[in-house]
Amino acid sequence: MLRSLLALLLSAILLSSKIRFGSAHEHHGEVAEGSCESSPDVRVAAEFRPGVITVDGHADDWTDIEASEFALLPALDFDEDKAYGGGRMSVRAVHDGINVFFMLQVDGEYAYLKGENNRCPSVALMFQVGENATYQNMGGCSDLPGTCTANSCRGHEVDIMHFSIGNAIPGRLYGGNLMDNINGTGKDSFGHLVDTYAWNPHCRYLDGIGPKANTSNARNDWQGAWWHSSITFHSGMVEEDSPYGKDGEKGTYFFEFSRPLRTMDRFQQDVQFTIGQASKVAMAFWYPTSGNPWSKSDHYSASCNWLPLDIALASPVSVTRASSGSWDAATAFAMLLSVISLCVAIFIGYRVSSTKDVPFTPIDRL
């Protein structure tokens, strides 16, 4: 009897241990929507800061912008024990009433191999477009590869900006350009900062391309630049300077982007931002660990679900800050004109008062 009780107790202990270990990994694989919701306080806020940001890959103009920090965990195995070794991702955002700007900052040793994107760091932003678009499965449309259409996957659209830097010079601007936009696609022929949309991981296309896509007004609405803190040459680089920095040098990567709040998209391929409203965003990061090339699915994610992105209304403080520079210049110019006018008036008065009187001679005396 005693032996049976001990065996039963031991089985219970082992079972409870298995349950505890299993619950620590319950978010692996296919998880229910919302099972890994972040805290309500975790969000990305885009303040109203007009005339502050220059998209050049440098973070000097972002020092006064509050950052949100996120752990980078494997997207397919969201386990804290397998987090990106370089540390957390810092995300900042602002808008000027016309465009929205993003700065993504990640520590990492310098890695660059010209022409090979998957041996260089890469980043992506993904936004919910369709109301039914889930973070899981990149929109969540259930159609199989080759069967996705704008009708069958309606409401599952996500908007993606992906920047692979293998052909991009640090500090130079990439993304939307005249040549690719004339062709009606979201392609970037120069630096691979592309504008894409998707319904699921198997149905992902450049803007303006896809099943029955109308390309009449599709375009790449993004622009961006990158930099690494170990690069000390700041007077401008050209392609011949590749690889631009020293391989393995410790430092920080900076990825800076901008896009209009509203675009001319008519095909449900771009997210449309509205001031005073929240959108949904996710961030991804690829890194060639130990020099090994990364694959498309081999990336880190800053969350396991959508994050709120708040496009903030203008506050009195931000309006005052934005207008103070132009107001000071206008005031100084007006004061200068006033001083000049006063000096001219004094000079004319002096000349008039110092002129001798000319005696009046009647015409009949001439």
Side-chain angles (χ1 to χ4, degrees), residues 92-295:
R92 293 179 172 88
V94 298
H95 75 93
D96 61 4
I98 301 174
N99 298 291
V100 61
F101 303 84
F102 297 91
M103 169 60 79
L104 276 56
Q105 179 177 331
V106 186
D107 291 342
E109 296 180 354
Y110 189 78
Y112 189 91
L113 189 59
K114 178 175 167 47
E116 298 195 33
N117 286 321
N118 59 354
R119 291 184 181 272
C120 307
S122 178
V123 294
L125 296 173
M126 183 172 73
F127 304 89
Q128 183 189 52
V129 179
E131 292 184 1
N132 299 322
T134 60
Y135 168 85
Q136 287 81 12
N137 293 322
M138 201 177 291
C141 179
S142 59
D143 282 14
L144 298 175
T147 64
C148 299
T149 68
N151 292 326
S152 64
C153 290
R154 179 73 181 273
H156 290 275
E157 301 87 354
V158 294
D159 183 14
I160 303 170
M161 182 285 306
H162 189 189
F163 188 22
S164 296
I165 67 172
N167 288 301
I169 302 170
R172 300 292 184 179
L173 201 62
Y174 294 94
N177 61 80
L178 183 61
M179 184 180 75
D180 290 316
N181 286 341
I182 286 177
N183 292 330
T185 74
K187 185 179 179 181
D188 174 15
S189 298
F190 305 102
H192 198 76
L193 196 164
V194 295
D195 192 352
T196 72
Y197 70 99
W199 295 304
N200 63 43
H202 310 289
C203 302
R204 183 166 59 94
Y205 307 96
L206 291 168
D207 280 16
I209 296 178
K212 298 180 181 180
N214 186 336
T215 63
S216 62
N217 79 332
R219 58 180 294 160
N220 188 340
D221 293 288
W222 286 93
Q223 292 188 329
W226 73 278
W227 195 261
H228 190 268
S229 61
S230 67
I231 301 174
T232 57
F233 189 73
H234 290 268
S235 61
M237 288 177 287
V238 294
E239 190 173 355
E240 287 73 17
D241 296 323
S242 175
Y244 314 112
K246 183 179 178 181
D247 189 52
E249 192 80 11
K250 292 184 177 180
T252 302
Y253 282 96
F254 302 96
F255 303 93
E256 190 172 22
F257 309 103
S258 69
R259 204 214 75 168
L261 292 170
R262 313 289 291 188
T263 73
M264 297 183 67
D265 169 52
R266 299 201 307 269
F267 311 116
Q268 199 78 339
Q269 296 171 0
D270 288 339
V271 61
Q272 302 299 318
F273 300 111
T274 300
I275 297 174
Q277 296 184 13
S279 299
K280 293 182 178 180
V281 64
M283 290 79 67
F285 178 65
W286 289 257
Y287 187 80
T289 304
S290 301
N292 298 319
W294 47 260
S295 63

